[in-house]
């Protein structure tokens, strides 16, 4: 074989290899799997899964429907990995208008059991002592969300502490699941529910489903419910700072056929929270505390949400401040 022929063969092989790599960017199953189940730790009502970066570094990340991009709280958690920073990003989270700074790292490989993501971008936050203090004691180093939910059907079984990732054609929905429409807007999921507080009904309230919120329910302060709540105080913590508001109870929430009574609720003062709500025509969020008795399923591709009761006490709800 001539040198020219060898060069042509080498170029063909290289181009084929690059094509295969391009095909595999994003998340996929490995080892011929169509369904992957992984355990999670339930920490303050938050599902925390183990994620391996670049086949080397294991991190504990919150599985969060409220986050657009995978976030690592500090570059210290990436020690020993070979990477380079890209562009700087500034954003504000719920809690205040205070900006959070970070830099993007591209081309990470992420593994969650037999789920693998190639060419994944990760936002690494600048040193933030408040965030480090908040998560250090619960051994959490970051957050992961939308890219997984957009790619797979994902079931979070809070009772058995199992997350299932499924290809859409392989997921088997049994008759015991309740099916309802899901609205995915700006990477976040919403459903409609009926609320009742002290005899006041608000039917078809639009609420975000936020697995990254440890609270049971957070409502915007637009319902004239103040007399039934505590005085203003710090009631929760967002990425950008403290969230102020009041604490009370919702007489009832109904999601399809599921009725939950005396549900703890946080009524929020935060202007940042209100702006997030107004943008998406929602009045609040439902968090992890509401789902402890259930298995919930997100199917972004088909705009569908499913619930299944798993715990013998369907009204078991928990508020976490």
């Amino acid at each position: 074989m001539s040198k020219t022929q060898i060069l042509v063969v080498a170029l063909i092989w290289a181009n084929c290899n690059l094509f295969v790599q391009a095909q595999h960017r994003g998340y996929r199953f490995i080892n011929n799997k169509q369904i992957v189940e992984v355990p999670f730790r339930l920490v303050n009502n938050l599902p925390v899964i183990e994620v391996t970066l670049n086949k080397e570094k294991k991190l504990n990340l919150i599985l969060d429907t409220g986050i657009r991009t995978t976030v690592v709280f500090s570059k210290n958690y990436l020690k020993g990995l070979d990477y380079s920073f890209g562009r700087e990003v500034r954003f504000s989270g719920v809690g205040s208008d205070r900006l959070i700074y970070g830099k993007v790292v591209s081309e990470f490989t992420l593994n969650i059991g037999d789920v693998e993501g190639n060419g994944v971008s990760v936002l690494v936050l600048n040193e933030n002592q408040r965030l480090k203090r908040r998560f250090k004691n619960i051994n959490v180093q970051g957050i992961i969300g939308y890219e997984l939910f957009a790619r797979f059907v994902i079931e979070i079984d809070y009772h058995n502490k199992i997350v299932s990732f499924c290809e859409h054609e392989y997921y088997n929905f049994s008759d015991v699941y309740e099916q309802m429409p899901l609205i995915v807007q700006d990477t976040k999921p919403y459903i409609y529910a009926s609320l009742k507080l002290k005899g006041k009904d608000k039917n078809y309230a639009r609420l975000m489903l936020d697995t990254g919120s440890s609270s049971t329910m957070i409502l915007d302060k637009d319902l004239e419910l103040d007399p039934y709540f505590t005085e203003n105080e710090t009631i929760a913590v967002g990425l950008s700072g403290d969230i102020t508001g009041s604490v009370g109870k919702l007489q009832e929430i109904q999601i399809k056929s599921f009725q939950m009574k005396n549900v703890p609720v946080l009524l929020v003062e935060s202007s940042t929270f209100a702006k997030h709500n107004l943008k998406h025509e929602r009045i609040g969020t439902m968090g992890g505390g509401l789902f402890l008795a259930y298995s919930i399923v997100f199917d972004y591709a088909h705009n569908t949400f499913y619930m299944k009761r798993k715990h013998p006490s369907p009204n078991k709800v928990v508020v976490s401040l």
Side-chain angles (χ1 to χ4, degrees):
M1 183 180 292
S2 69
K3 290 184 178 180
T4 301
Q5 289 174 315
I6 293 173
L7 179 60
V8 169
V9 171
L11 287 174
I12 293 173
W13 180 88
N15 287 333
C16 289
N17 190 46
L18 287 173
F19 176 71
V20 169
Q21 289 181 10
Q23 281 185 312
H24 289 167
R25 292 181 67 86
Y27 285 95
R28 65 189 179 101
F29 288 128
I30 57 176
N31 299 326
N32 298 316
K33 297 294 181 66
Q34 285 84 38
I35 298 176
V36 171
E37 295 183 345
V38 297
F40 68 85
R41 290 189 299 128
L42 192 62
V43 181
N44 293 344
N45 301 334
L46 304 172
V48 177
I49 58 176
E50 185 178 86
V51 178
T52 305
L53 273 65
N54 288 357
K55 314 286 187 179
E56 299 178 50
K57 181 74 69 171
K58 294 185 184 299
L59 299 180
N60 295 314
L61 306 184
I62 298 166
L63 184 60
D64 183 358
T65 54
I67 198 76
R68 180 192 298 267
T69 303
T70 300
V71 173
V72 173
F73 295 142
S74 170
K75 66 180 181 181
N76 291 334
Y77 297 133
L78 304 181
K79 286 182 178 178
L81 296 181
D82 182 20
Y83 67 93
S84 58
F85 284 121
R87 69 186 186 280
E88 184 176 76
V89 175
R90 294 176 292 174
F91 66 97
S92 63
V94 173
S96 78
D97 292 322
R98 181 189 306 155
L99 288 177
I100 299 172
Y101 294 83
K103 292 182 179 179
V104 176
V105 178
S106 301
E107 303 302 322
F108 266 131
T109 297
L110 274 62
N111 286 88
I112 308 163
D114 285 320
V115 173
E116 182 170 279
N118 288 301
V120 177
S121 294
V122 174
L123 176 60
V124 182
L125 301 186
N126 293 355
E127 289 303 306
N128 186 314
Q129 295 303 319
R130 184 185 58 81
L131 275 177
K132 288 181 72 174
R133 286 194 301 270
R134 178 186 175 194
F135 291 103
K136 181 179 179 181
N137 292 335
I138 59 175
N139 191 25
V140 170
Q141 292 84 41
I143 311 171
I144 191 169
Y146 173 72
E147 291 173 311
L148 288 171
F149 286 96
R151 172 62 181 83
F152 303 108
V153 176
I154 295 183
E155 178 177 11
I156 306 175
D157 184 342
Y158 281 87
H159 182 56
N160 293 310
K161 299 181 180 62
I162 295 289
V163 175
S164 299
F165 301 89
C166 313
E167 293 285 10
H168 294 83
E169 61 268 32
Y170 290 101
Y171 196 87
N172 181 26
F173 298 99
S174 64
D175 293 337
V176 296
Y177 282 85
E178 285 264 13
Q179 177 180 339
M180 60 203 78
L182 182 72
I183 303 161
V184 180
Q185 181 181 355
D186 193 22
T187 74
K188 297 174 177 58
Y190 302 85
I191 64 168
Y192 284 89
S194 298
L195 310 181
K196 181 183 289 187
L197 191 144
K198 298 295 182 182
K200 297 182 180 181
D201 292 346
K202 190 171 184 68
N203 292 319
Y204 307 113
R206 184 172 180 172
L207 299 165
M208 180 180 140
L209 300 172
D210 190 357
T211 61
S213 171
S214 61
S215 301
T216 299
M217 178 167 287
I218 304 177
L219 296 179
D220 193 15
K221 198 167 187 176
D222 70 339
L223 304 178
E224 300 180 356
L225 304 174
D226 302 29
Y228 309 111
F229 285 75
T230 63
E231 295 298 321
N232 289 343
E233 57 187 88
T234 298
I235 57 173
V237 180
L239 278 180
S240 289
D242 294 340
I243 299 172
T244 58
S246 310
V247 180
K249 282 194 174 182
L250 197 65
Q251 186 175 331
E252 180 181 289
I253 176 172
Q254 182 161 348
I255 308 169
K256 249 336 197 19
S257 69
F258 299 106
Q259 287 183 324
M260 290 158 272
K261 300 180 183 295
N262 298 317
V263 178
V265 60
L266 309 180
L267 198 63
V268 170
E269 283 276 7
S270 168
S271 61
T272 305
F273 187 82
K275 284 190 291 186
H276 281 267
N277 286 346
L278 183 63
K279 179 180 178 182
H280 299 103
E281 301 176 347
R282 76 190 194 198
I283 69 164
T285 66
M286 290 186 285
L290 194 74
F291 297 119
L292 297 184
Y294 299 90
S295 179
I296 59 175
V297 180
F298 297 89
D299 184 353
Y300 282 20
H302 297 102
N303 297 303
T304 308
F305 177 68
Y306 298 82
M307 284 182 66
K308 176 182 178 181
R309 185 171 292 131
K310 283 291 188 78
H311 195 276
S313 300
N315 288 330
K316 179 183 178 183
V317 289
V318 174
V319 63
S320 175
L321 304 183

